[in-house]
Amino acid sequence: MSILFTPKKIGNVELPNRFVHSATYEGMAKETGEVSNELIKRYERLAKGGVGLIISGYMYVHPTGRAFPHQTGLHSDDMIPGLKKLTDTVHQEGGKITFQLAHAGRQTTKALIGQTPLGPTSRGRDPVNFVRPKEMTENEIMEMIKAFGAATRRAVEAGADGIQIHAAHGYLINEFLSPFFNSRIDTWSGTDTNRFRFLKEIVLETQKTVPEGMPVLVKLSTNDYTPKEGITPGLSVKYAEWLAELRINGLETSCGTAIYSYMNMCRGDVPTAELVKSLSWWEKPIGRRMIGKLEGKYDLEEGYNLKAAKMIKPVLGDTPLFLVGGIRAVAYMKEVLENNYADFISMSRPFIREPFLVNKIKEGKMEKVSCVSCNRCLAAVVNDIPIYCYNKGFPK
Ligand SMILES: Cc1cc2nc3c(=O)[nH]c(=O)nc-3n(C[C@H](O)[C@H](O)[C@H](O)COP(=O)(O)O)c2cc1C
Ligand code: SF4
């Protein structure tokens, strides 16, 4: 049997194969944050498609942590009945689902959350939303740690098989971890240990909340690619080692931030026309000039996060590593596992295009996924339309 289809446990949960659906924002929740039928159908298809573990799109744990209007909420008990329907559907199809818990930090807008976005520090306006965040008070920091705990309790009540803490892509936890975003002058910054403290407290809070053996996973950036030094591969190794010491049940390694370096996170083509579509008439020419400059600079390289993952693997001990980022060829997937570079193959865009790809690989009908990394699905996020494969263009 191919190594791709050997079972492996995370926590107490046995996964039938080594394929993971990496968290992918869906743009399908109701404006209240509740689950819609369209969202349930998306996860039903994924579960039918045979993937070992589904990680949901990021869910906001607190009203100030919402990133988009059609993002799923995990901030209130009112969300639980819809989420329960979603997990029931996945389980009926034999699948397993972990919720991704997130707080957007400064990567959101006042228009959406009704107040100035929060961050560890208020320094600097970002180049996309021009937001200068509000520096969080000690009380607000404690409130957000508790919010991750409360969201975990809701995930458990809604029947999730585990949770993943989103500490990557420039969102709040990543901001605390990064020397670029976090220049506080208290016990939440100043040293790597202090910058790690927010994530550490969140991990401990969630571990306290989950039933024994239920997996707590973390997604971590190995490189922020910010204008000045943020998380670097070297620093991410230190963080990974500390996470393993906390006995998390799996680490997924990614890179990039949504505002400063989204093309590092999702390498491939730069869909300039689609990315500027949502801008006003006067912003469009500026947007076209700025985004156009990125074209041709982010060509997809198979497994583009492998180099950093290879640095991290030795410090993880028996904590499983999930590799994500540009994995497309079945032979490459096998090579990653056979060489013990990672324990799980995690993919996002390929599942948007082909939710059934794992079954096809199992039947020997696929050597390479057909996603061409045109990134039109990524551009759909900023256009506030549901996420599907838009390789042939956006709907008219
Ligand atoms: C449309 C879209 C939505 C995404 N949403 C999330 C998300 O909610 N949480 C997250 O951690 N990563 C998110 N990502 C990043 C992916 O999980 C993944 O790290 C990245 O796309 C690289 O993997 P891939 O080459 O297999 O697509 C998203 C990516 C895309 C294209
Ligand atoms: S739009 Fe389709 S082909 Fe293009 S990156 Fe997204 S899933 Fe892949």
Side-chain angles (χ1 to χ4, degrees):
M1 189 182 25
S2 158
I3 190 164
L4 293 167
F5 292 92
T6 51
K8 189 167 173 72
K9 268 187 161 181
I10 49 164
N12 276 354
V13 177
E14 174 144 303
L15 303 179
N17 57 52
R18 304 300 183 91
F19 291 94
V20 174
H21 168 269
S22 192
T24 306
Y25 166 74
E26 318 85 358
M28 292 174 187
K30 298 178 191 172
E31 290 205 355
T32 53
E34 285 163 288
V35 164
S36 65
N37 289 336
E38 190 176 13
L39 194 70
I40 292 179
K41 287 213 174 75
R42 178 173 200 274
Y43 286 101
E44 185 178 21
R45 278 193 297 274
L46 280 167
K48 276 194 173 134
V51 61
L53 179 68
I54 297 169
I55 302 176
S56 74
Y58 62 166
M59 299 181 179
Y60 56 100
V61 300
H62 190 274
T64 57
R66 186 176 193 178
F68 290 103
H70 293 97
Q71 187 182 5
T72 312
L74 199 56
H75 61 300
S76 138
D77 286 3
D78 296 344
M79 306 296 118
I80 297 173
L83 290 166
K84 180 82 178 65
K85 269 195 213 162
L86 192 147
T87 60
D88 283 347
T89 306
V90 167
H91 293 151
Q92 274 154 23
E93 298 300 337
K96 297 261 189 289
I97 181 160
T98 290
F99 291 172
Q100 191 186 55
L101 276 52
H103 188 294
R106 62 184 290 172
Q107 294 189 144
T108 182
T109 61
K110 190 173 178 178
L112 183 63
I113 64 168
Q115 66 167 74
T116 304
L118 300 174
T121 324
S122 92
R123 212 178 55 178
R125 284 182 203 282
D126 71 62
V128 175
N129 295 323
F130 308 111
V131 170
R132 183 187 288 277
K134 176 189 173 300
E135 178 167 318
M136 289 167 74
T137 61
E138 184 77 17
N139 280 348
E140 282 166 336
I141 293 174
M142 298 320 288
E143 185 184 341
M144 295 318 150
I145 294 167
K146 294 277 171 220
F148 274 89
T152 303
R153 194 250 311 147
R154 291 180 198 113
V156 174
E157 285 179 27
D161 298 289
I163 62 139
Q164 186 186 56
I165 299 167
H166 193 354
H169 303 163
Y171 295 106
L172 186 65
I173 302 175
N174 188 163
E175 288 162 19
F176 270 85
L177 292 170
S178 163
F180 173 74
F181 291 112
N182 183 359
S183 54
R184 293 175 74 93
I185 43 165
D186 57 9
T187 52
W188 301 97
S189 188
T191 63
D192 296 338
T193 316
N194 283 356
R195 278 186 284 271
F196 182 70
R197 213 179 127 210
F198 186 58
L199 173 56
K200 179 179 174 180
E201 295 297 333
I202 289 171
V203 169
L204 295 174
E205 189 71 25
T206 54
Q207 285 176 329
K208 226 167 52 189
T209 313
V210 292
E212 176 83 27
M214 182 168 156
V216 171
L217 313 173
V218 174
K219 188 164 181 176
L220 181 74
S221 277
T222 56
N223 200 332
D224 283 336
Y225 295 105
T226 38
K228 288 192 183 145
E229 195 168 288
I231 299 180
T232 55
L235 180 56
S236 73
V237 173
K238 213 186 247 188
Y239 288 155
E241 191 169 6
W242 291 340
L243 286 166
E245 281 165 15
L246 289 174
R247 306 299 300 155
I248 63 161
N249 305 101
L251 182 71
E252 187 175 18
T253 50
S254 187
C255 70
T257 71
I259 282 178
Y260 284 96
S261 45
Y262 54 92
M263 284 308 305
N264 282 296
M265 175 175 87
C266 290
R267 284 185 165 259
D269 301 344
V270 180
T272 305
E274 287 80 8
L275 282 169
V276 301
K277 196 165 182 277
S278 63
L279 299 179
S280 61
W281 66 268
W282 64 269
E283 289 168 321
K284 273 198 174 88
I286 309 168
R288 241 179 246 121
R289 242 193 341 269
M290 282 174 65
I291 297 168
K293 280 190 197 153
L294 307 178
E295 284 179 20
K297 293 191 177 155
Y298 295 92
D299 290 347
L300 189 109
E301 183 195 327
E302 183 90 31
Y304 52 82
N305 288 320
L306 180 66
K307 206 169 151 201
K310 277 186 181 172
M311 291 169 66
I312 282 177
K313 183 75 172 146
V315 302
L316 283 183
D318 58 3
T319 306
L321 177 67
F322 298 37
L323 180 68
V324 72
I327 305 176
R328 303 290 183 262
V330 176
Y332 181 83
M333 298 171 193
K334 286 185 191 157
E335 191 188 318
V336 167
L337 297 186
E338 276 161 1
N339 288 300
N340 199 30
Y341 298 146
D343 302 279
F344 290 95
I345 299 297
S346 201
M347 290 179 279
S348 164
R349 290 167 286 177
F351 282 110
I352 297 176
R353 188 169 167 88
E354 294 169 294
F356 300 106
L357 69 88
V358 175
N359 284 344
K360 285 192 198 161
I361 293 174
K362 196 171 184 183
E363 290 160 15
K365 290 182 182 158
M366 185 182 270
E367 286 179 7
K368 193 172 185 202
V369 304
S370 69
C371 167
V372 291
S373 310
C374 69
N375 277 326
R376 294 203 175 94
C377 53
L378 183 66
V381 176
V382 287
N383 283 278
D384 195 22
I385 57 173
I387 307 308
Y388 291 104
C389 177
Y390 294 115
N391 179 236
K392 293 203 164 74
F394 279 179
K396 295 284 170 236

